[in-house]
Amino acid sequence: MRRSIGLAPALPRRAAGPLARYRPPELEEAAAAFIAHLTSPGDLVLDLFCRSAAFLRPAIRQGRRAIGVGVNPIGLLLAGLEAQPPDRPHTLTAAFTYLGDQPKGERPLRHHLTDLYRARCPTCQADGVAEWFVWDREAGYPYLKAVRCPRCDGVQEGPTDEEDIAAARRFDPKGPPYHYALGRVVPPEHPARERAAELVGLYTPRNLAALMDVTLRLEGLKIGRAARAGLRGVLLEALDRGSSLDPYGEARPRPRTLRPPARFLERNVWFLLERGLDQTTTWLLDRHPLPHAPDLTHLLTESRPAYFLHPSPARRVDRLLPPESVALVLADPPRPDGVFWALCALWSGWLWGDVPLARAMRPFLRRRRFDWEWHRRALQAALAAAATRLRPEGYLVLLFADPTPPLVSSACMAAAGAGYDLVGWGADPDAGCHLVWRWVGRRAAPIDAETLVADLTAAAERRIRSCLQERAEPTSPLLLHTAVYAGLAEEGRLARALATVDHAPADAALLPPLALTAQAVETGLTRVPLRKDEDTGWVWLPTGRGKAAEPLADRVETRTLEVLLSRPEWTTADLLGEIFAPFTGPLTPDLALVRACVESYARFADGVWRVREEDQPRRRAEEMRALEEALKALGRRLGFQVGTGKGWRVRWREGRRDVYLFALSPTAALGPYLLRGRRIPGSAHPCLVFPGGRAELLAHKLRRDPRLARAAAEQGWHFIKFRHLRRLIAEGLDRRLFETMLGLDPIVEQEGVQIPLVLGGEE
Ligand SMILES: [Zn+2]
């Protein structure tokens, strides 16, 4: 390995453009980092489940060649649109106008479509055009409408009238548009015919007629390739929003079932197209064309950076590419999203008709359970095919945003089952998950089932303990889950589970490997005595006072300062990469923590991070010394006996009794005081004095780690900023005032965990 493969610390970007509401966030920056570290210029990068240009773009930008394959032509359409946008926004607008000008009978399509939604304004009865109607599914007619009124101001909402209901019923549900729509998806005798008919039935007859009119005319349009792709993107958005799947009056980001809600929206198709045009144009505004290889042969034989998209199921990639041609496989696995896949199968038929591209989607029409075991098998087949195309020193990187435990399990099982070895990983609820693999052709021998289950359970338990011990702090369930599966993969246990179950005789009555492993992990988990934060679900191992190891958060903070001091200036990517470098796998810190550390110690200006002047070690040390002296002087002035010792920087005593104990810290490391510190005598007030620049980080740590907040409250800690203390000293306060101020101090509020108001207010 060229370097340790930690988390490529970059936040995913929300998907944009057509169908964005179905698509997971994209990890372009993370992909860029893997391409930079794992390949060389001229190398071929394979996007195994291509559905955007997020992996193509960084490959080309770094002088690599890229090929995107995928079975879903809609994913490839969107990738192609981003990679080869129409040369000017105007091109798409002009093509859209041209589409609207196409004749429908005697009139332009645009007028015909608009007229389908003519309705009276519910307020003033003037003739207007409805933006949408609301249908009662059971009653089967629209009862509410929103009309753009030429007389009233804006859109008027109100009940429908008889004319509206008659207009909606004018369309024969089984008329020519219905048969055209159905015939374009599957031929009459096809086994999925009935299912396709159900999907076609997800549109009101009026919207179906309108959408088929547009589809038909778009096909006959004589326009360039990029403009046609752009219009298809626009139409896709209308196909989605124009169905009966969106409810009225409730926020639901996207349909989760293929059944219209009890009250559903019927949106005006022409307005949807206009909106789709705006959206698509905006989306493509900052996209620059990437060099496109004219065909696959050119891409494979020439070394100049270019990309090529090829419709193909990922599991057939071995028929497409020569052996050992790929340096890096990037795979963002499709989610088992039955609704989205079925809709894509429907729309692919409508957009492309009876061509291989769309035919390949027909299997997804069938009602099937998209369960995780199915997902694992499909993914494993794809990864096995890709393995044969990888160069011997090549890598597979599975990376995905919005990681969920089942997705992580499925990905680990699939790669292990396809013969890969895990060589690095990272997981973060916000930044996503990545798993880096090399293909070694691992073959595992089956073992007997009982031994297998016991072995998996024990191994899972060990991994859970070691992960939590290493981190020594509350840990997200996602990271813990990934640590367990990564561990089982590294130890060859997943491959063995697959070999045992997949090749077991039919009467062995074993669960599918994924379920079996999940069960073993669950059992392993329950055997570990865990503490859990009920709000966040984060878990940790209980430890006795004084026995706690240094929490990961404190180690990350130390590392952040070391890295910042090692060079005067840092770009964000370099800085994060360097901070994360030693924290791989189970030690992956959450990006939110690392950002809090960086923002505490460094300032960002002119595109680079520089350590804060006051955090230069010499300056900080001088400040600490001065403060120590000042504290001692203050203590004497207030009539205390002042000393030091027992691990405290300054002690204010009265007789033999400690009254105030001060720890002075330039950092926000709380572990040494709150988790591992010495016992505090009952009479004493422990005070942690820290620089104001640490306040936010300190608050972040207290929020993140409930153990710290609880310990701070139980032990009665006061948190005091340097500057604030200096001001108090300068103002010449007396003992009573000092006590009052500490008394007023809410210390650490259990809820929301705030830095004390009085002693640590805004400065
Ligand atoms: Zn009106």
Side-chain angles (χ1 to χ4, degrees):
M1 227 177 305
R2 295 176 207 194
R3 52 170 290 174
S4 66
I5 301 168
L7 181 72
L11 280 181
R13 195 183 46 220
R14 278 180 61 169
L19 307 183
R21 62 177 174 163
Y22 296 95
R23 296 189 286 131
E26 295 168 355
L27 287 159
E28 177 161 349
E29 277 184 61
F34 286 116
I35 293 165
H37 292 146
L38 304 178
T39 67
S40 305
D43 278 352
L44 183 62
V45 175
L46 166 62
D47 179 353
L48 193 57
F49 304 103
C50 183
R51 49 191 187 275
S52 77
F55 296 167
L56 309 175
R57 220 170 4 239
I60 305 282
R61 201 169 52 227
Q62 300 181 67
R64 277 65 163 172
R65 295 168 297 143
I67 177 160
V69 303
V71 71
N72 188 347
I74 288 171
L76 291 184
L77 170 77
L78 299 177
L81 251 178
E82 273 188 274
Q84 294 284 303
D87 46 4
R88 277 165 308 192
H90 176 69
T91 312
L92 185 55
T93 314
F96 185 78
T97 307
Y98 185 40
L99 175 67
D101 286 342
Q102 294 303 299
K104 164 77 185 179
E106 306 282 293
R107 324 169 44 220
L109 181 63
R110 167 187 322 116
H111 293 164
H112 167 76
L113 292 180
T114 312
D115 285 350
L116 296 181
Y117 304 92
R118 289 230 165 265
R120 280 186 213 283
C121 166
T123 310
C124 76
Q125 307 303 315
D127 282 335
V129 179
E131 282 197 345
W132 46 257
F133 295 97
V134 180
W135 283 60
D136 181 318
R137 186 187 62 207
E138 296 309 322
Y141 64 86
Y143 68 96
L144 215 60
K145 61 183 171 180
V147 177
R148 287 188 191 172
C149 176
R151 206 185 291 159
C152 302
D153 203 19
V155 177
Q156 301 294 310
E157 290 186 31
T160 53
D161 54 34
E162 278 176 20
E163 280 179 51
D164 296 324
I165 294 169
R169 287 185 170 158
R170 198 173 303 137
F171 298 84
D172 178 2
K174 294 283 157 71
Y178 172 84
H179 291 288
Y180 175 74
L182 185 54
R184 238 177 122 77
V185 182
V186 280
E189 299 308 322
H190 195 275
R193 179 84 171 182
E194 201 178 316
R195 176 64 167 158
E198 283 173 32
L199 294 174
V200 173
L202 294 178
Y203 291 81
T204 61
R206 167 168 45 201
N207 272 13
L208 190 66
L211 289 164
M212 290 307 113
D213 274 336
V214 178
T215 307
L216 199 63
R217 273 156 195 80
L218 171 55
E219 192 161 67
L221 225 51
K222 292 189 169 47
I223 48 173
R225 203 173 68 159
R228 182 181 308 282
L231 287 185
R232 282 187 172 136
V234 171
L235 177 53
L236 266 176
E237 191 63 18
L239 291 177
D240 177 32
R241 307 274 173 173
S243 83
S244 311
L245 288 174
D246 280 330
Y248 169 71
E250 52 180 296
R252 206 182 289 175
R254 49 153 290 184
R256 291 280 169 196
T257 67
L258 290 170
R259 179 176 158 79
R263 294 165 176 200
F264 66 83
L265 285 164
E266 180 194 34
R267 296 192 179 96
N268 178 319
V269 165
W270 180 254
F271 291 166
L272 284 179
L273 289 167
E274 286 181 334
R275 204 186 92 172
L277 175 70
D278 279 352
Q279 234 176 37
T280 307
T281 316
T282 312
W283 172 54
L284 295 176
L285 214 52
D286 57 348
R287 297 287 189 267
H288 303 289
L290 305 176
H292 181 248
D295 54 43
L296 189 54
T297 314
H298 274 84
L299 182 79
L300 294 173
T301 50
E302 292 174 11
S303 63
R304 67 184 180 84
Y307 81 95
F308 190 72
L309 298 173
H310 193 93
S312 157
R315 65 174 191 283
R316 297 265 177 272
V317 74
D318 51 345
R319 300 184 188 174
L320 197 66
L321 301 172
E324 302 192 2
S325 55
V326 175
L328 173 64
V329 178
L330 292 172
D332 181 351
R335 314 302 197 264
D337 180 348
V339 170
F340 181 59
W341 280 92
L343 290 173
C344 281
L346 178 74
W347 300 332
S348 299
W350 287 352
L351 287 183
W352 287 282
D354 191 4
V355 296
L357 193 75
R359 278 204 293 272
M361 289 296 282
R362 284 180 186 160
F364 298 101
L365 285 172
R366 261 173 255 160
R367 194 191 304 274
R368 65 155 83 215
R369 281 186 48 227
F370 283 78
D371 62 20
W372 284 106
E373 181 59 23
W374 170 84
H375 186 267
R376 191 273 299 174
R377 284 176 188 277
L379 187 56
Q380 185 172 327
L383 299 181
T388 64
R389 311 296 99 174
L390 261 183
R391 296 202 314 231
E393 74 282 13
Y395 288 90
L396 160 70
V397 179
L398 287 163
L399 73 169
F400 39 92
D402 281 351
T404 59
L407 183 58
V408 170
S409 314
S410 178
C412 287
M413 298 285 280
Y420 291 85
D421 266 3
L422 186 67
V423 294
W425 65 275
D428 180 278
D430 299 319
C433 177
H434 72 259
L435 302 151
V436 185
W437 308 81
R438 302 202 66 167
W439 194 74
V440 292
R442 183 188 280 277
R443 288 269 166 271
I447 57 173
D448 82 275
E450 244 171 74
T451 315
L452 175 74
V453 174
D455 175 71
L456 283 173
T457 308
E461 188 184 333
R462 273 198 304 278
R463 283 289 168 165
I464 291 161
R465 282 181 192 277
S466 71
C467 173
L468 293 176
Q469 268 160 8
E470 280 181 55
R471 295 176 71 90
E473 66 172 23
T475 294
S476 78
L478 173 82
L479 187 123
L480 190 61
H481 184 89
T482 314
V484 174
Y485 276 84
L488 296 177
E490 280 160 358
E491 295 158 358
R493 288 191 158 82
L494 292 184
R496 197 156 64 202
L498 287 159
T500 305
V501 182
D502 277 350
H503 305 134
D507 60 351
L510 276 180
L511 289 169
L514 201 56
L516 180 91
T517 310
Q519 217 173 58
V521 170
E522 193 59 39
T523 314
L525 198 60
T526 53
R527 286 195 198 168
V528 184
L530 293 176
R531 296 282 179 277
K532 185 172 173 185
D533 179 356
E534 292 304 330
D535 292 337
T536 61
W538 289 30
V539 295
W540 64 96
L541 284 178
T543 48
R545 172 156 178 82
K547 293 203 187 104
E550 185 181 17
L552 179 64
D554 290 354
R555 282 173 271 165
V556 170
E557 183 184 346
T558 307
R559 169 81 185 166
T560 302
L561 182 59
E562 278 170 12
V563 171
L564 279 167
L565 289 172
S566 69
R567 205 201 279 175
E569 295 179 349
W570 289 90
T571 64
T572 304
D574 284 354
L575 177 62
L576 293 183
E578 200 58 28
I579 294 170
F580 272 84
F583 302 113
T584 60
L587 286 179
T588 315
D590 46 296
L591 189 53
L593 168 72
V594 178
R595 286 157 73 110
C597 290
V598 168
E599 282 162 11
S600 180
Y601 284 95
R603 280 182 217 284
F604 188 72
D606 312 320
V608 290
W609 292 94
R610 295 182 185 88
V611 72
R612 287 168 188 265
E613 201 40 52
E614 61 269 28
D615 277 311
Q616 290 291 350
R618 183 185 296 173
R619 215 176 124 180
R620 207 39 113 186
E622 280 168 16
E623 186 180 28
M624 300 267 291
R625 268 195 301 277
L627 198 69
E628 182 179 341
E629 291 315 312
L631 258 179
K632 286 179 175 164
L634 178 66
R636 283 187 210 104
R637 212 179 69 211
L638 297 182
F640 292 105
Q641 296 147 262
V642 173
T644 180
K646 291 200 173 168
W648 299 95
R649 195 77 174 251
V650 178
R651 294 160 78 192
W652 290 358
R653 317 186 68 199
E654 208 152 50
R656 302 172 58 84
R657 208 164 58 94
D658 277 313
V659 184
Y660 291 101
L661 295 167
F662 295 92
L664 271 59
S665 170
T667 74
L670 291 170
Y673 310 106
L674 299 183
L675 301 178
R676 296 183 292 145
R678 50 211 77 66
R679 242 182 48 77
I680 296 160
S683 60
H685 298 282
C687 304
L688 180 68
V689 190
F690 65 96
R694 289 302 90 78
E696 297 236 346
L697 178 57
L698 206 104
H700 183 92
K701 287 186 173 185
L702 287 167
R703 269 196 307 274
R704 192 174 164 278
D705 190 341
R707 299 175 308 164
L708 298 175
R710 191 178 317 122
E714 280 171 7
Q715 299 163 24
W717 278 87
H718 302 274
F719 296 97
I720 311 170
K721 290 181 188 173
F722 281 9
R723 275 171 291 182
H724 194 80
L725 190 63
R726 270 201 303 267
R727 204 168 62 215
L728 289 179
I729 293 170
E731 282 168 5
L733 83 174
D734 61 19
R735 194 194 275 212
R736 254 200 67 216
L737 194 54
F738 186 80
E739 283 165 6
T740 310
M741 296 190 112
L742 283 188
L744 285 174
D745 168 5
I747 312 173
V748 176
E749 290 177 359
Q750 285 302 310
E751 280 181 1
V753 186
Q754 288 174 352
I755 291 294
L757 295 173
V758 174
L759 294 184
E762 282 311 305
E763 290 174 43

